[in-house]
């Protein structure tokens, strides 16, 4: 199997920019992995290092049993699709698809079979005689994908391949890429800065910032058990609310913004005691906030003033000011709250996250983070 292994890879460019720092990661074969993080965090550089378009400053890259970081790009058996895809305008779709195989002197009959196969998979079989100028943006994008995957390499790399498409086309292409992966089961690394795209496409997310990995896990793990405050606020829209609280070791209670006190479950109190710091960050997802009914048993309750509401159709965002901190709640749109009114909110114990105020790391530390 062709597992991909990055071992302590760093890349410093000539201008001194440290684009990738001590990057270690194993991607088992096959996996649909998504590299996600804000602009400039080093995603493209990681792909280029893997494809052989950049040399690492230090570290090793392995594909299966072969160390590949010093191999020429064409010997690595990796296909890459860039953000800007250029089709040959004077060639038909069929010729664009077959071009790479012809260069490799693949027998004509094999080329035809493969072109038909790929065109069928990407739903462009009816377009083979057309030129790129006669296609829609989405059709052109599918031809570009087809051109990359027509070979059967060990790994596919996609660098923001959908960024030039409109929202609807992106959705259908996302579906196409997932479907394609399910059919071919060839390890694919997909790069995006869009957290929604990352969550919907990926089997495995690699969340990066500043050239470093913050967390590796399934979309569910990264969303529900973020390893640090960066991942907590990067994934999710609106992001997780992060509130400063003070832990009182003597009774195991937390003082929340606005002055209310909260007694976390015994198990959490024990973890916070072990953490041993007074200042902690409490994280709450907007959708986990409920209006308090007054009969809550345990859980976190806080009172604040409704500053603003934003209807989103099915849901509504409610901005609440609590002791100087602003909290965003996501509630069912039928829920009656008005800007200017007071509101008491509650959060179930199991939905409260804790992070170190010093390092931002989750308490307890998440496995895989
Ligand atoms: N050839 C280069 N020479 C010098 N610095 C570079 C070079 N390529 C990238 N960088 C820098 O390295 C860092 C990482 O760049 P990279 O292109 O990998 O980011 P990215 O995560 O792909 O961002 P985006 O989402 O904007 O595409 C950035 O600070 C960038 O300016
Ligand atoms: Mg990039």
């Amino acid at each position: 199997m062709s597992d991909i292994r990055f071992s302590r890879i760093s890349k410093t460019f000539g201008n001194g920019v440290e684009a990738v720092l001590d990057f270690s990661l194993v991607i088992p074969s096959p996996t649909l992995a998504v590299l996600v993080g804000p602009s400039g965090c080093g995603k493209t550089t990681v792909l280029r290092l893997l494809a052989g378009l950049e040399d690492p400053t230090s570290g090793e890259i392995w594909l299966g049993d072969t160390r590949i970081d010093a191999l020429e790009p064409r010997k690595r058996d990796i296909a890459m699709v860039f953000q800007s895809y250029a089709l040959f305008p004077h060639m038909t779709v069929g010729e664009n698809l077959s071009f790479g195989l012809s260069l490799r002197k693949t027998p004509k009959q094999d080329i035809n079979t493969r072109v038909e196969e790929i065109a069928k998979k990407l739903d462009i079989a009816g377009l083979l005689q057309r030129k790129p100028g006669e296609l829609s943006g989405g059709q052109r994008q599918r031809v570009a994908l087809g051109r990359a995957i027509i070979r059967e390499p060990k790994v596919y790399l996609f660098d923001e391949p959908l960024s030039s498409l409109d929202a609807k086309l992106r959705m259908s292409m996302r579906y196409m890429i997932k479907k394609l992966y399910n059919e071919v089961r060839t390890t694919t690394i997909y790069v995006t800065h869009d957290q929604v795209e990352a969550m919907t496409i990926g089997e495995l997310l690699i969340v990066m910032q500043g050239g470093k990995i913050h967390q590796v896990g399934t979309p569910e793990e990264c969303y529900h058990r973020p390893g640090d405050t960066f991942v907590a606020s990067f994934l999710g829209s609106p992001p997780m609310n992060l509130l400063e609280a003070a832990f009182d070791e003597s009774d195991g209670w937390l003082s929340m913004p606005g002055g209310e006190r909260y007694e976390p479950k015994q198990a959490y109190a024990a973890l916070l005691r072990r953490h041993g710091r007074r200042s902690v960050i409490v994280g709450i997802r907007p959708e986990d906030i409920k209006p308090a009914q007054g009969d809550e048993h345990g859980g976190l309750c806080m009172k604040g003033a409704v500053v603003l509401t934003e209807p989103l159709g099915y849901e509504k965002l409610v901005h609440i000011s609590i002791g100087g901190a602003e909290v965003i709640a996501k509630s069912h749109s039928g829920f009656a709250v008005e800007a200017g009114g007071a509101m008491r909110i509650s959060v179930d114990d199991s939905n409260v996250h804790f992070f170190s105020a010093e390092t931002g790391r989750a308490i307890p530390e998440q496995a895989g983070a």
Side-chain angles (χ1 to χ4, degrees), residues 13 15 17 19 37-46 54 83 160 193:
F13 284 106
N15 57 0
V17 173
S39 181
C41 73
K43 305 178 297 292
T44 295
T45 306
V46 170
E54 300 288 353
Q83 178 178 339
E160 311 230 16
H193 62 270

Side-chain angles (χ1 to χ4, degrees), residues 137-157:
Q139 290 168 337
R140 240 175 275 160
Q141 194 86 39
R142 272 178 279 162
V143 177
L145 274 186
R147 210 174 55 173
I149 65 175
I150 195 148
R151 296 199 283 128
E152 292 176 302
K154 292 203 179 95
V155 180
Y156 295 123
L157 306 179

